[in-house]
Amino acid sequence: MRPCFYRGLDRTWILLVVIVLMFHSTALLFALDPHKRITQYDMRIYTAKDGLPMNSLKKVFQDSKGYIWIGSQEGLVRFDGAEFHIFNKSKYPNLKSNWIWDIDEDSQGNLWLATNGGGV
């Protein structure tokens, strides 16, 4: 008969192996399956009925804070995962054009917008 120490050591090794296998298998759950097409995943389509200013978009950009910014012909839209917030000329007069066709972020976290006829 083995001493108690060896039984505890065997259980420790088994527990360690189980924990390592759990972490390894859960890490794979967060990645997309490379054998599936993107159309095989659940998707949500947002439209003007959900709060977008229009259904046609020019640019989609995610900033360093995680917000999704959308450029359209009717203004700039910020999406936080739950609500859309629209920035346009009528609400923000400093925005010279509603037509936003490009969005970028500099190293300080400032957003830069390329507009149609309203400058950068």
Side-chain angles (χ1 to χ4, degrees), residues 3 14 16 21-22 35 40 48 63 74 88 91 98 103 110 113:
I14 290 171
L16 182 63
L21 288 174
M22 280 179 20
H35 299 94
Q40 292 177 289
D63 70 12
E74 296 297 322
N88 58 29
K91 294 179 184 176
N98 281 338
I103 306 166
N110 298 307
L113 310 173

Side-chain angles (χ1 to χ4, degrees), residues 94-97 99 115-120:
N94 289 338
L95 189 62
K96 301 298 180 198
S97 173
W99 189 313
T115 66
N116 190 22
V120 177

Side-chain angles (χ1 to χ4, degrees), residues 1 4 14 17 20-22 29 32-34 37 48 51 54-55 59 62 79-80 88 100 109 112 114 116-117 120:
M1 182 159 212
C4 238
I14 290 171
V17 168
V20 167
L21 288 174
M22 280 179 20
L29 293 176
L32 294 179
D33 183 352
R37 285 179 271 156
M54 62 185 309
N55 292 331
K59 176 73 175 191
Q62 185 173 14
F79 184 59
D80 61 12
N88 58 29
I100 311 295
W112 289 84
N116 190 22
V120 177

Side-chain angles (χ1 to χ4, degrees), residues 58-73:
K58 301 298 176 196
K59 176 73 175 191
V60 177
F61 176 80
Q62 185 173 14
D63 70 12
S64 59
K65 295 174 187 154
Y67 289 109
I68 302 294
W69 294 89
I70 302 165
S72 75
Q73 291 176 332

Side-chain angles (χ1 to χ4, degrees), residues 15-49:
L15 183 60
L16 182 63
V17 168
V18 168
I19 290 171
V20 167
L21 288 174
M22 280 179 20
F23 279 119
H24 177 69
S25 63
T26 57
L28 296 176
L29 293 176
F30 295 113
L32 294 179
D33 183 352
H35 299 94
K36 283 187 175 181
R37 285 179 271 156
I38 194 72
T39 56
Q40 292 177 289
Y41 290 96
D42 291 336
M43 292 186 285
R44 171 85 195 262
I45 298 172
Y46 294 99
T47 66
K49 291 178 185 175

